[in-house]
Amino acid sequence: MEGETAAKAAASSSSSPSRYESQKRRDWNTFLQYLKNHKPPLSLSRCSGAHVIEFLKYLDQFGKTKVHVVACPFFGEPNPPAQCTCPLKQAWGSLDALIGRLRAAFEEIGGGLPESNPFAAKAVRIYLKEVRESQAKARGIPYDKKKRKRPPTSTAAPTAGDGDDAGGSGGGAALVVSAATTA
């Protein structure tokens, strides 16, 4: 009986997609509709990072996040004391999550090589970075990139078999040299 209940639960959970999967499907269908309505209509195979950025800018009209313009007296104020006429835009976090879901959906449908994924294009990453920085500046909240903690290096030279001799980036050797020069 217990096994039967577990089997039913597993069957019901597999029959209805997760919230993430449902959102990913909705986002994918919205993007395909955008391509269909594009003038001239675009096929997915001809879609580039520039088209993805155009789509993100199109979505701004449906945004709910107030982004102060430089001329606004509340530019840089984390908690503005009054209302202003600055535009509402999509929040950076929403755009970033959307791109993540669309990138995954593109890979799942077999859109081609990962290098051909327009959602993973360098231009899209740069655009998202600019949106993040401009929104942080407009709110007066600095965006500090979290620094990765690196383990301290205790050797003065690379040892055999550490990967530097196999045509790697050489990043390990540069760390050792800089550590040696500061010691």
Side-chain angles (χ1 to χ4, degrees), residues 14 30 46 55 69 77 83 146 152 157 159 162 164:
S14 64
T30 301
R46 298 189 56 97
F55 174 65
V69 296
E77 290 285 330
Q83 293 292 324
K146 292 180 175 65
T159 57
D162 66 358
D164 285 337

Side-chain angles (χ1 to χ4, degrees), residues 3 27-28 36 53-54 75 102 106 111 140 148 151 157 168:
D27 293 340
W28 184 250
K36 185 177 167 186
I53 293 170
E54 191 178 287
F75 181 82
L102 291 173
F106 182 87
R148 286 192 302 170

Side-chain angles (χ1 to χ4, degrees), residues 48-50 52 103 114-127:
S48 69
V52 173
R103 184 185 305 138
E115 300 84 41
S116 68
N117 189 335
F119 305 102
K122 186 175 183 178
V124 173
R125 290 194 311 271
I126 291 169
Y127 176 76

Side-chain angles (χ1 to χ4, degrees), residues 143-152 169 171-172 175:
Y143 179 82
D144 295 325
K145 186 174 182 181
K146 292 180 175 65
K147 306 258 186 211
R148 286 192 302 170
K149 293 182 182 176
R150 293 188 176 161
S169 66
L175 286 176

Side-chain angles (χ1 to χ4, degrees), residues 67-69 74-78 133-141:
V67 179
H68 299 289
V69 296
F74 304 131
F75 181 82
E77 290 285 330
E133 290 171 353
S134 69
Q135 288 187 3
K137 209 178 279 186
R139 293 178 59 212
I141 300 170

